[in-house]
Amino acid sequence: QLIQSSILPRTLDVGGLTITATMIPASEVGGDYYDVLPIQDGCWIGIGDVAGHGLDAGLMMLMTQSIVAALVVRDPTASPSDVLCTLNEVLFDNIHNRLMRDDHATLTLLRYDRNGSVVFAGAHEEIIILRAGEGRCEVVPTPGTWVGGRRDIRRGTVESSLRLARGDVLLLHTDGVTETRDGSGELFGIERLCAELERV
């Protein structure tokens, strides 16, 4: 848990954005991942979830963070789909040939520009946007494929875009929120998450 929490971003300062993030680890090391990497006139945001728990999931999370950070430093203006596909090649090799595992992760990478445009790629949970003008949530799918499961994911990788207006709220989450169950076993679900965001 110490390793997992220590690689999370310490500061979340990005011009034009107010950012808040939290992660509550499970009793054992989990594979939830998020990062915010500031660049000139914007930032990169990553969010994902490694399958399973334990040390291997933690190692995959650490690898993902390191690979994304290195690729963004090399080319801050790269397309999210190119970063995702390159990351996948390295991650696939590490998982299958070094860890000798057969694991995968969900991952969405977003490149935000200060003008409000967001370009993203990778399959993870839906993106929720609370539109300030309407006070209603918009649910944006994250089409594509998981990372780490196969060596080449270019054919299944889709790059999408959206635009944020002043006052909009972008909510990124893992299934730790939507798959929480109440006392009767009912899932919290994305509809309730949207309703709660609209309420507050």
Side-chain angles (χ1 to χ4, degrees):
Q1 287 181 0
L2 178 62
I3 294 170
Q4 184 179 18
S5 60
S6 67
I7 66 168
L8 296 174
R10 301 283 181 187
T11 60
L12 301 170
D13 296 328
V14 175
L17 291 180
T18 300
I19 303 178
T20 302
T22 188
M23 181 169 65
I24 302 170
S27 56
E28 59 180 321
V29 177
D32 285 0
Y33 155 82
Y34 75 84
D35 207 356
V36 177
L37 302 166
I39 58 174
Q40 185 174 356
D41 295 325
C43 69
W44 283 76
I45 300 172
I47 186 161
D49 186 6
V50 177
H53 294 272
L55 184 57
D56 286 335
L59 288 172
M60 283 179 60
M61 177 198 169
L62 179 59
M63 290 178 211
T64 299
Q65 189 277 334
S66 300
I67 297 165
V68 170
L71 293 172
V72 167
V73 166
R74 186 186 70 177
D75 185 2
T77 63
S79 74
S81 59
D82 284 346
V83 172
L84 192 80
C85 290
T86 303
L87 172 142
N88 177 73
E89 290 180 33
V90 177
L91 198 60
F92 178 88
D93 182 64
N94 283 356
I95 292 169
H96 294 268
N97 300 326
R98 296 179 186 236
L99 293 178
M100 304 300 289
R101 304 275 300 177
D102 186 22
D103 291 327
H104 67 274
T106 62
L107 176 65
T108 298
L109 296 175
L110 307 93
R111 193 189 69 220
Y112 163 80
D113 188 275
R114 196 166 184 166
N115 67 11
S117 69
V118 178
V119 181
F120 63 95
H124 182 60
E125 304 296 324
E126 295 99 333
I127 297 169
I128 300 173
I129 307 171
L130 177 65
R131 295 296 184 183
E134 297 83 30
R136 293 284 178 205
C137 284
E138 174 185 339
V139 178
V140 180
T142 58
T145 186
W146 299 336
V147 294
R150 57 187 308 165
R151 184 176 301 279
D152 186 356
I153 61 169
R154 289 199 178 272
R155 287 181 58 191
T157 299
V158 178
E159 193 160 277
S160 306
S161 62
L162 59 89
R163 181 165 292 277
L164 297 175
R166 184 174 180 84
D168 286 350
V169 176
L170 176 73
L171 177 62
L172 304 173
H173 61 96
T174 66
D175 61 9
V177 175
T178 53
E179 293 185 3
T180 297
R181 295 181 182 272
D182 64 16
S184 64
E186 186 177 357
L187 290 174
F188 187 70
I190 195 165
E191 294 83 8
R192 287 184 183 169
L193 183 57
C194 289
E196 185 64 13
L197 180 58
E198 291 173 2
R199 186 187 70 82
V200 300

